[in-house]
Amino acid sequence: MAIDIGGTKIAGALVCPDGTMTGTTRRPTPRGTDAEAVMAAVAEVVADLSASPLWGSAVRCGIGSAGPVDTSRGTVSPVNIGAWRDFPVQERVAAELAARGAGLPTVLAGDGVAMTAAEHWLGAARGHANALCMVVSTGVGGGLILNNQLHPGPTGNAGHIGHMSVAFDGEPCVCGGRGCVESLASGTAIARWALEQGWTPAAREDAPGAPDATAAGVAAAAEQGDPVALAAYDRAGRALAAAIAATATLVETDIAVVGGGVAAAGDTLFGPIRAHLAQYATLGFVSGLRVVPASLGTHAGLIGAAAAAAMLLPGPTS
């Protein structure tokens, strides 16, 4: 059983051992309301799943959530769900399951860790014993596979590459650090820097007259050869390359999988990452490091929640 909690939607599915999903359901994430209203949406998703004829076959439940998370306590404080601060989502979901006759073991994973589990199971990191997977979007998150095992760390935040410092004298980050990858390479950072350098956004195709001052707008301008837009993505790619190389040097990963909305820019992002990687991944044991796009797209949340449950929870006993 998989539940994926984000700022836009709360989704659920029953996931088979081969990764196929059934009973998929979703609810919009309530906005501008209290914690219990958001939990009510989660409960509705669980209720939908309980109507499936396969409900009784579920053996474990994975919960993937936007962060910050603290898996040691089973709590979440998602940046994009303001009503939840230190909300005991794992305990509450377990109670909902038990109330519907499914007293299953449950596990909580941050969305970056869930994406990592998904890509290792069925995606671009499949077959790699040691991998870094990243989500580059409004923020920058990630997770680690080490010796074919998901490595979330004590609180579920291992691999949170977005808050690795790559610029010693860089600007302050919202986390309180300085020169973090997220402050250089997130979609928000790319758009902000381009605007500060004098980039003029073009009108959005779906809303003529409204400028597209987003990372996607910067990417579109870069594809047209805009020098500021190209520089914005080069700057982001360099930050990501430095962090990827540092991670590989530390734990000997041989592949970095990059997903999230910013990765949709394709070679506009991956070209600079790969070009700069040669400057940072210089030791022999990391010189073959590959950087590839994620392959599971919008399915990564649910697939990842299920994969995290399979990797982190014991299997059924006979």
Side-chain angles (χ1 to χ4, degrees), residues 186-199:
S186 70
T188 306
I190 289 169
R192 182 182 67 247
W193 187 86
L195 288 166
E196 289 172 351
Q197 302 306 308
W199 170 64

Side-chain angles (χ1 to χ4, degrees), residues 3 16 25-26 53 57 64 83 103 108 117 135 162 167 189 199 222 242 256 269 271 273 275 280 286 291 297 313 318:
I3 297 172
C16 300
T25 184
R26 60 190 290 173
S57 301
L108 172 65
V135 180
W199 170 64
L269 177 68
I273 293 176
Y280 299 109
V286 293
V291 179
L313 291 172
S318 58

Side-chain angles (χ1 to χ4, degrees), residues 173-286:
C173 178
V174 292
C175 74
R178 183 176 289 275
C180 293
V181 175
E182 186 171 299
S183 69
L184 295 161
S186 70
T188 306
I190 289 169
R192 182 182 67 247
W193 187 86
L195 288 166
E196 289 172 351
Q197 302 306 308
W199 170 64
T200 302
R204 290 168 44 188
E205 292 184 3
D206 60 342
D212 185 3
T214 66
V218 179
E223 290 171 7
Q224 298 298 315
D226 184 290
V228 173
L230 286 167
Y233 269 87
D234 185 74
R235 178 176 182 263
R238 184 178 182 184
L240 292 168
I244 289 168
T247 302
T249 303
L250 184 66
V251 294
E252 289 199 60
T253 53
D254 60 7
I255 191 169
V257 177
V258 184
V262 174
D267 285 345
T268 300
L269 177 68
F270 285 92
I273 293 176
R274 291 168 179 149
H276 286 294
L277 194 61
Q279 299 176 318
Y280 299 109
T282 56
L283 293 171
F285 66 92
V286 293

Side-chain angles (χ1 to χ4, degrees), residues 13-318:
L14 298 174
V15 183
C16 300
D18 63 357
T20 57
M21 294 189 293
T22 185
T24 306
T25 184
R26 60 190 290 173
R27 292 287 189 281
T29 304
R31 293 188 173 277
T33 184
D34 61 17
E36 290 305 317
V38 180
M39 185 61 214
V42 177
E44 289 174 8
V45 166
V46 173
D48 288 350
L49 294 177
S50 72
S52 168
L54 293 177
W55 173 258
S57 301
V59 294
R60 30 172 117 73
C61 176
I63 307 160
S65 176
V69 304
D70 184 342
T71 58
S72 67
R73 298 190 298 134
T75 61
V76 296
S77 304
V79 172
N80 50 10
I81 305 178
W84 277 7
R85 289 295 173 265
D86 293 321
F87 188 79
V89 66
Q90 185 173 342
E91 177 185 334
R92 294 293 300 273
V93 168
E96 288 292 331
L97 299 179
R100 297 182 179 277
L104 304 179
T106 63
V107 69
L108 172 65
D111 50 8
V113 171
M115 175 265 195
T116 300
E119 291 291 336
H120 183 256
W121 182 23
L122 296 174
R126 188 173 187 174
H128 291 267
N130 301 285
L132 166 68
C133 297
M134 305 172 62
V135 180
V136 185
S137 186
T138 306
V140 177
L144 289 167
I145 297 289
L146 300 177
N147 296 323
N148 279 314
Q149 299 295 314
L150 188 63
H151 183 73
T155 66
N157 291 288
H160 200 343
I161 195 168
H163 295 292
M164 177 184 291
S165 178
V166 292
F168 183 72
D169 293 319
E171 63 185 74
C173 178
V174 292
C175 74
R178 183 176 289 275
C180 293
V181 175
E182 186 171 299
S183 69
L184 295 161
S186 70
T188 306
I190 289 169
R192 182 182 67 247
W193 187 86
L195 288 166
E196 289 172 351
Q197 302 306 308
W199 170 64
T200 302
R204 290 168 44 188
E205 292 184 3
D206 60 342
D212 185 3
T214 66
V218 179
E223 290 171 7
Q224 298 298 315
D226 184 290
V228 173
L230 286 167
Y233 269 87
D234 185 74
R235 178 176 182 263
R238 184 178 182 184
L240 292 168
I244 289 168
T247 302
T249 303
L250 184 66
V251 294
E252 289 199 60
T253 53
D254 60 7
I255 191 169
V257 177
V258 184
V262 174
D267 285 345
T268 300
L269 177 68
F270 285 92
I273 293 176
R274 291 168 179 149
H276 286 294
L277 194 61
Q279 299 176 318
Y280 299 109
T282 56
L283 293 171
F285 66 92
V286 293
S287 60
L289 178 62
R290 295 173 56 217
V291 179
V292 300
S295 64
L296 296 178
T298 57
H299 297 298
L302 287 170
I303 293 293
M311 297 179 82
L312 298 173
L313 291 172
T317 57
S318 58

